[in-house]
Amino acid sequence: MKKPTAQVEEIEPRTIQRADVAPADGFSLIVDGHFKTRYESEAAARAAGAELLDRFPMLQILVYDAATRVRSPLQ
């Protein structure tokens, strides 16, 4: 007797963020020249960057504003 095959439901496609392409909206962290996590507000991006810089002081971390396309260092 054949085993019943499981029906595969439609899987939602993942949103893949490439490290070499600038995001279109929001704020992102640039860590050593690579785009990383995206944030909705600048305050959230700066807080995450400061926490990362506290843990790893040798990193170069910038905050990227997609609306104005400006990179600003953490201070």
Side-chain angles (χ1 to χ4, degrees):
M1 181 171 198
K2 292 184 179 180
K3 294 182 180 180
T5 58
Q7 296 293 330
V8 178
E9 296 181 20
E10 297 223 7
I11 300 172
E12 293 182 25
R14 295 185 329 173
T15 55
I16 299 173
Q17 180 181 358
R18 292 181 44 182
D20 60 340
V21 178
D25 60 343
F27 296 87
S28 292
L29 288 181
I30 301 175
V31 179
D32 288 341
H34 297 279
F35 288 97
K36 297 296 181 180
T37 311
R38 184 184 161 285
Y39 298 93
E40 292 295 326
S41 69
E42 184 177 7
R46 288 197 175 276
E51 190 271 329
L52 190 62
L53 195 58
D54 286 341
R55 290 179 48 208
F56 305 101
M58 75 293 278
L59 294 178
Q60 177 187 9
I61 300 176
L62 303 171
V63 175
Y64 176 75
D65 182 2
T68 60
R69 296 184 180 181
V70 173
R71 300 171 190 216
S72 59
L74 287 177
Q75 297 187 20

